[in-house]
Amino acid sequence: MDKENHSSKPIIISIISLTLFLGIWELVCRGGLIDPVFMPAPSKIFARAVKLIGNGELMAHTLASTRRVMVGFMISSMVAIPFGIFLGSSRLFMAICDPFISLLRPLPSMSWIPLSLLWLGITETQKYSIVFMGSFAPSLLYIIEATKSIDPLLIRAARNLGASKLDVMREVILPGALPQIISGLKVMLGIAWTCIISAELVAAREGLGFMIMNGKEYFQTDTVMLGMVMISITVMVIDVVFKKFERRLLPWTR
Amino acid sequence: MQLKKVNISTLLLALTMAVMLTLAPGTASADNKPEKVTVIYGGSSWLGHYPAWVGMEKGLFKKHGLGVLFQNFYASSGRMGSLIAGDLDVASTGSISAIALMAVGNKSFFAFGTQDSYATVEGIIARDGINSLKDLKGKKLAAPFASSAHVLVLDLLQQAGLDPEKDLTLLNLKVNEMPAAMSSGEIDACAAWTPHFNKLLNMKGNHLLANDTEFSLYKKYKLGPGPDLLVVRKDFAQKYPNTCNAFVKGYFEAIDMLINKPEECAQVLVKLTNLNMEDQMTVLKDIEWIPGSKQKALMSDPGDFVKGMQKLGDFLTRHGQIDQSPMVKDWVTTDMLP
């Protein structure tokens, strides 16, 4: 009983702080202290959400963006995980690839728009590629670091016991690095979502990024903020799913 | 003691100067001199900003004691956002942005004029084989959403009995990305405005499908899908009436110059547009400038322009682009006009 009270306390505090924040925000807006073009009241954002849920637009935008982010992110992870483990376990190849990774790492996803348009046109693939480029280099670095963090003593011990390179990879490096890789990918998924505005800037007619930019053109700040809230909520939901997946995949880390 | 005397006389002198400086704007105001000598104008290389540029380059504002600072913006929405945030004093804007801002109830600006009509430099360009709007069925058509070209497309598709959601693929694309998309075959048609409109028309295999003259409100009110509108920040207009009058005088003198001496104007406009003289003259020939003498009749309620703008607001509401149609006349002022 005491334990239950203890665990529910932070949730109650969070709910109170959120309610207070929304209440003050609503009062400030209703009192005319802020022009609604600059900051709409929470009730206006809610009303916009109700309208867009009613006509199905909000779900369509959310699904379109989720699809783009997930496809771009999955491809990025599928390339980054084996490549990162390989680079993390080979000093020679790390030295060869390091300058290229350093060049790619600081590039914002938006900087890939002109080239991706030339290479891939105004297709869905172009949108996936923006998410891919925005999340690939940071994911790769996370995986390299996770692989490098394996205690070299464990690798040496396995080798001394007669394990082949493949055995070492399968029995030592992968189980050791996987928890860190999964945690890194969770962070990277959040980063992949930050690419959605860039991805939907060109030739998109649906998606949360499109919804935000189109709302901006018509000064519908409530639509803009609703789009932002939806990105956050979607990331939170995906995070919960990811955590469940993590528990199943890595039972030894519980 | 001597030091004290000096200090007192210095203080008196400073006070006198301060009083004179404080009174100076009042005196200037009485003489109809601008209360504020610099106006920050929001523009771009679009033709609607030619008069402001010509006025600056030809010293027409300076003649009225005014300096104009020209700030560049890619889109009207950014320009209007900066105007209501207080970063700009005066601007020309595409009317869709202005109507959208009216629709959300923002009352911090006035519309005081419309400077041009350009129905033949914006339209839908299609690939050969698409000979009518009905031929667009099943094709890919691009337009920059939330723009005059988008409104034109929605209107023309409606006239042709086509549903943009079901009958074709309508893509959101910026005008500067259209030439590449047309040449690579990714789109079959696009709606654009000058100078990209002219570039697209000159590309092999392309032709004009329809222009602004086909727009339903143009047929009735001679109003294009996104006519240019002159706007001023409300508190600026109220605080600095002489400055606004000086701006308007210089501005419409620039329009007179654009009408009477287009070649002379083209020489200074190429610096803004980066077009060559020949192309610049071609664009100028396609524009009908509206002089100061005709402004009051257009902008007064129920002038044709205000009526047309109201219809445009209703059109945007019908097509779900804005939530409600604003009462446009509430944002229009004729006080600043000659």
Side-chain angles (χ1 to χ4, degrees):
Chain A
M1 184 71 182
D2 197 20
K3 202 177 174 185
E4 265 177 31
N5 281 342
H6 187 74
S7 62
S8 63
K9 210 174 171 185
I11 299 169
I12 293 167
I13 293 171
S14 297
I15 291 169
I16 292 171
S17 77
L18 184 67
T19 313
L20 263 176
F21 173 73
L22 290 174
I24 294 168
W25 178 3
E26 182 75 33
L27 281 175
V28 166
C29 293
R30 284 195 183 212
L33 295 173
I34 307 175
D35 188 324
V37 174
F38 293 99
M39 179 70 85
S43 57
K44 290 258 178 198
I45 301 170
F46 183 73
R48 176 70 67 184
V50 170
K51 187 181 170 187
L52 295 185
I53 289 169
N55 61 20
E57 272 185 43
L58 193 61
M59 186 53 85
H61 287 313
T62 309
L63 288 177
S65 289
T66 306
R67 189 190 66 238
R68 284 170 188 148
V69 171
M70 292 313 286
V71 171
F73 175 72
M74 296 282 265
I75 298 170
S76 156
S77 304
M78 278 158 66
V79 179
I81 292 173
F83 193 41
I85 292 173
F86 176 64
L87 290 182
S89 10
S90 164
R91 282 190 184 176
L92 173 69
F93 281 101
M94 186 62 211
I96 293 170
C97 295
D98 196 37
F100 304 104
I101 298 170
S102 304
L103 283 172
L104 283 178
R105 195 168 60 104
L107 295 177
S109 58
M110 208 172 258
S111 67
W112 288 100
I113 293 178
L115 287 179
S116 65
L117 277 172
L118 285 172
W119 295 340
L120 303 163
I122 51 171
T123 55
E124 275 297 295
T125 316
Q126 183 266 340
K127 291 164 189 65
Y128 301 147
S129 77
I130 293 290
V131 178
F132 174 86
M133 291 316 296
S135 56
F136 176 69
S139 300
L140 188 66
L141 283 173
Y142 252 104
I143 291 154
I144 292 170
E145 286 311 310
T147 312
K148 276 184 180 173
S149 70
I150 303 296
D151 191 344
L153 269 177
L154 291 174
I155 297 171
R156 229 176 295 156
R159 285 264 172 87
N160 287 340
L161 290 168
S164 67
K165 278 190 175 178
L166 194 68
D167 291 335
V168 171
M169 180 65 75
R170 207 176 50 216
E171 301 296 334
V172 183
I173 298 178
L174 266 181
L178 212 52
Q180 234 180 302
I181 291 174
I182 299 288
S183 316
L185 289 181
K186 259 193 296 181
V187 178
M188 283 310 114
L189 186 57
I191 291 179
W193 269 97
T194 65
C195 306
I196 199 66
I197 302 272
S198 322
E200 291 172 355
L201 209 58
V202 182
R205 50 172 301 166
E206 56 176 5
L208 293 171
F210 165 76
M211 180 180 145
I212 290 171
M213 297 312 285
N214 203 49
K216 185 209 90 173
E217 290 299 318
Y218 286 110
F219 299 97
Q220 290 167 347
T221 324
D222 46 0
T223 306
V224 172
M225 294 193 76
L226 177 63
M228 291 162 72
V229 169
M230 283 311 294
I231 289 177
S232 297
I233 292 174
T234 314
V235 173
M236 276 158 66
V237 170
I238 292 174
D239 208 42
V240 170
V241 175
F242 217 107
K243 269 181 190 160
K244 289 204 168 176
F245 166 73
E246 188 182 5
R247 274 186 207 152
R248 285 203 166 194
L249 192 72
L250 310 167
W252 67 90
T253 59
R254 275 183 213 175
Chain B
M1 196 62 183
Q2 184 65 26
L3 187 71
K4 207 173 184 180
K5 261 186 189 174
V6 171
N7 279 346
I8 288 168
S9 50
T10 313
L11 193 69
L12 276 173
L13 184 69
L15 268 171
T16 317
M17 281 179 75
V19 169
M20 279 171 70
L21 279 170
T22 317
L23 288 176
T27 319
S29 216
D31 296 347
N32 290 332
K33 281 184 185 165
E35 304 91 339
K36 189 173 179 279
V37 292
T38 308
V39 170
I40 308 171
Y41 174 88
S44 74
S45 57
W46 166 246
L47 59 87
H49 306 288
Y50 288 1
W53 188 262
V54 167
M56 280 165 57
E57 292 288 313
K58 290 289 178 185
L60 302 174
F61 294 119
K62 209 173 173 184
K63 201 172 84 182
H64 297 286
L66 214 59
V68 173
L69 186 65
F70 193 98
Q71 297 275 27
N72 255 309
F73 289 82
Y74 173 75
S76 285
S77 58
R79 210 173 298 127
M80 288 306 286
S82 291
L83 185 90
I84 62 164
D87 296 328
L88 296 177
D89 303 323
V90 184
S92 168
T93 177
S95 50
I96 294 168
S97 277
I99 291 173
L101 203 46
M102 292 172 192
V104 293
N106 187 285
K107 297 230 169 187
S108 53
F109 70 98
F110 285 131
F112 67 91
T114 178
Q115 68 273 40
D116 54 48
S117 181
Y118 55 87
T120 54
V121 292
E122 179 178 67
I124 300 178
I125 292 146
R127 192 179 293 292
D128 284 349
I130 299 170
N131 300 317
S132 72
L133 287 160
K134 285 196 188 292
D135 291 345
L136 286 171
K137 194 166 185 174
K139 299 282 193 291
K140 282 184 182 172
L141 167 65
F145 281 17
S147 72
S148 53
H150 185 207
V151 170
L152 177 71
V153 163
L154 294 175
D155 181 70
L156 293 181
L157 290 178
Q158 193 180 32
Q159 286 185 44
L162 294 174
D163 184 338
E165 300 291 326
K166 293 173 190 163
D167 295 330
L168 64 146
T169 309
L170 183 58
L171 289 160
N172 179 21
L173 205 63
K174 286 181 181 167
V175 284
N176 54 356
E177 283 150 5
M178 287 172 180
M182 280 293 272
S183 56
S184 67
E186 287 175 285
I187 51 173
D188 303 299
C190 58
W193 54 78
T194 189
H196 298 283
F197 173 79
N198 308 66
K199 282 180 196 166
L200 284 156
L201 265 181
N202 292 336
M203 281 165 64
K204 208 179 165 191
N206 289 352
H207 69 279
L208 181 71
L209 200 59
N211 63 18
D212 283 359
T213 56
E214 309 288 323
F215 185 58
S216 55
L217 293 180
Y218 189 86
K219 289 174 186 167
K220 202 168 178 187
Y221 299 99
K222 289 267 169 208
L223 190 86
D228 284 326
L229 200 60
L230 290 165
V231 288
V232 60
R233 191 155 43 84
K234 199 174 189 176
D235 60 348
F236 183 83
Q238 286 164 346
K239 206 170 169 187
Y240 307 114
N242 292 345
T243 302
C244 291
N245 286 336
F247 179 87
V248 168
K249 276 181 196 162
Y251 190 89
F252 286 109
E253 281 171 16
I255 286 192
D256 292 340
M257 190 179 253
L258 278 158
I259 295 168
N260 300 318
K261 298 172 183 172
E263 276 191 31
E264 198 181 321
C265 294
Q267 280 166 0
V268 296
L269 284 170
V270 290
K271 279 194 265 177
L272 174 72
T273 59
N274 286 325
L275 293 173
N276 59 43
M277 268 300 277
E278 195 186 341
D279 286 347
Q280 188 63 72
M281 282 306 292
T282 310
V283 174
L284 279 173
K285 274 177 199 157
D286 285 327
I287 311 164
E288 185 192 331
W289 297 106
I290 304 168
S293 56
K294 289 188 179 171
Q295 291 291 326
K296 257 194 180 151
L298 280 170
M299 299 302 287
S300 301
D301 180 38
D304 265 3
F305 187 77
V306 179
K307 248 194 258 176
M309 284 278 287
Q310 189 61 53
K311 296 281 177 197
L312 191 55
D314 299 342
F315 176 89
L316 291 171
T317 313
R318 262 199 321 277
H319 283 268
Q321 305 297 306
I322 55 174
D323 294 328
Q324 58 195 14
S325 185
M327 196 56 82
V328 174
K329 67 181 170 70
D330 293 348
W331 275 266
V332 176
T333 180
T334 52
D335 294 350
M336 285 164 60
L337 292 171

